[in-house]
Amino acid sequence: NAGVTQTPKFRVLKTGQSMTLLCAQDMNHEYMYWYRQDPGMGLRLIHYSVGEGTTAKGEVPDGYNVSRLKKQNFLLGLESAAPSQTSVYFCASSYRIQGLRNSPLHFGNGTRLTVT
Amino acid sequence: DQQVKQNSPSLSVQEGRISILNCDYTNSMFDYFLWYKKYPAEGPTFLISISSIKDKNEDGRFTVFLNKSAKHLSLHIVPSQPGDSAVYFCAASGGNAGNMLTFGGGTRLMVKP
C-alpha cells in the first residue's frame, strides 16, 4: 500500500534553474497539498487542490506553480529556483478538506531541496 | 506572527516517565486541534485530535488536553517509550483560517532508555 509517493527524494539546484516535484497518491483522495518545512517554522502550505483540474494558493505560494491534471497526481514547479526555496517539501492528501474531523492528512516522505 | 507556537524546540525524557509537549495558540476562533508525529526521513503521521467542545481526548498512551481560556493544549505520553522519539507538531483549524491547518514549529522528543 503505497499511500503518497514523492519523487525525487533529494535534489540540488543552482539559482535560476527550474524543476518539478512529483506527487502521486493511490487512495482516491480528492484533496492534495504541498507544504514546505523549515526549521522552527513548522509546515507551511504552498498550494493545494480540491479536485482534478483545480488549484488554489496557500500561505506561501510565491515562486511556485502547481498542476493537477489527474486526480492521483499533484505537481509542484519551481520556475527559477532561489536559495530561499531550500527546504524539505511534503506532499499530502486527504479524503475531505483538511481540518475537518476524521479527515487527517496523509503525507509523503518528503523531498529535500537545496538551492545554491 | 505565528498563530500556533511550540515554545520548546526539544524535550528529553527517561523511558517509562511521562512526556508533556505543549502548544499555545493566539486565534480564539480555532476549534479543532491535532497532533502529528514525524520520524526522520518520513512524512508526518496523524496522532490524535481534539475538538473545542472537549477538554480531553485519550487514545492509549496518548492524551491531549485543551485549555481554551488559556489557549493552550498539551500532549501527554504515558509511559514514554524509545520509539516515541520523534518530532511532534501541533496544528489547529477553524475560524477565519477555515479548514486549513496552521502548524506549530515542532518539538523534538528524545526518550532515553
Side-chain angles (χ1 to χ4, degrees):
Chain A
N1 189 4
V4 178
T5 304
Q6 291 183 234
T7 54
K9 290 184 171 57
F10 302 94
R11 186 72 188 266
V12 178
L13 287 179
K14 293 187 180 205
T15 298
Q17 287 185 319
S18 64
M19 76 163 295
T20 300
L21 281 65
L22 309 179
C23 178
Q25 53 96 2
D26 62 2
M27 296 172 284
N28 201 35
H29 285 169
E30 288 292 338
Y31 301 87
M32 296 188 74
Y33 316 84
W34 276 105
Y35 285 89
R36 60 179 287 173
Q37 183 200 355
D38 302 292
M41 301 292 290
L43 293 151
R44 292 182 293 169
L45 183 64
I46 305 171
H47 285 280
Y48 65 99
S49 168
V50 300
E52 181 179 319
T54 74
T55 62
K57 293 180 180 179
E59 180 186 356
V60 288
D62 293 342
Y64 305 94
N65 56 76
V66 288
S67 64
R68 184 113 181 258
L69 298 179
K70 293 183 179 180
K71 184 178 182 179
Q72 64 267 34
N73 297 332
F74 196 29
L75 280 58
L76 177 72
L78 285 74
E79 290 185 346
S80 179
S84 61
Q85 294 178 303
T86 293
S87 187
V88 181
Y89 292 86
F90 288 99
C91 176
S93 69
S94 61
Y95 177 64
R96 298 185 297 166
I97 190 75
Q98 63 169 258
L100 286 181
R101 283 66 168 158
N102 301 317
S103 186
L105 292 169
H106 297 261
F107 285 89
N109 286 337
T111 296
R112 184 174 293 276
L113 175 66
T114 302
V115 183
T116 61
Chain B
D1 190 30
Q2 287 186 294
Q3 296 189 67
V4 178
K5 288 186 179 180
Q6 295 176 254
N7 292 317
S8 297
S10 64
L11 174 68
S12 182
V13 172
Q14 205 67 33
E15 181 180 5
R17 306 294 293 269
I18 184 171
S19 294
I20 300 176
L21 291 87
N22 295 306
C23 180
D24 296 298
Y25 61 95
T26 58
N27 189 339
S28 58
M29 299 297 288
F30 285 148
D31 60 5
Y32 186 54
F33 305 88
L34 308 89
W35 286 93
Y36 280 83
K37 176 180 180 179
K38 183 187 177 305
Y39 291 119
E42 295 184 8
T45 55
F46 170 72
L47 186 59
I48 193 169
S49 64
I50 188 167
S51 166
S52 61
I53 62 173
K54 294 186 174 182
D55 54 18
K56 176 182 173 181
N57 189 26
E58 196 170 350
D59 183 1
R61 296 185 298 112
F62 302 91
T63 303
V64 56
F65 295 92
L66 176 62
N67 182 333
K68 291 185 288 294
S69 61
K71 296 191 186 68
H72 176 84
L73 66 156
S74 60
L75 175 68
H76 292 212
I77 307 173
V78 184
S80 301
Q81 300 173 353
D84 297 328
S85 297
V87 176
Y88 290 79
F89 293 100
C90 67
S93 70
N96 55 6
N99 292 314
M100 289 299 145
L101 294 176
T102 301
F103 284 86
T107 296
R108 181 178 302 278
L109 174 66
M110 293 162 284
V111 180
K112 297 180 178 179

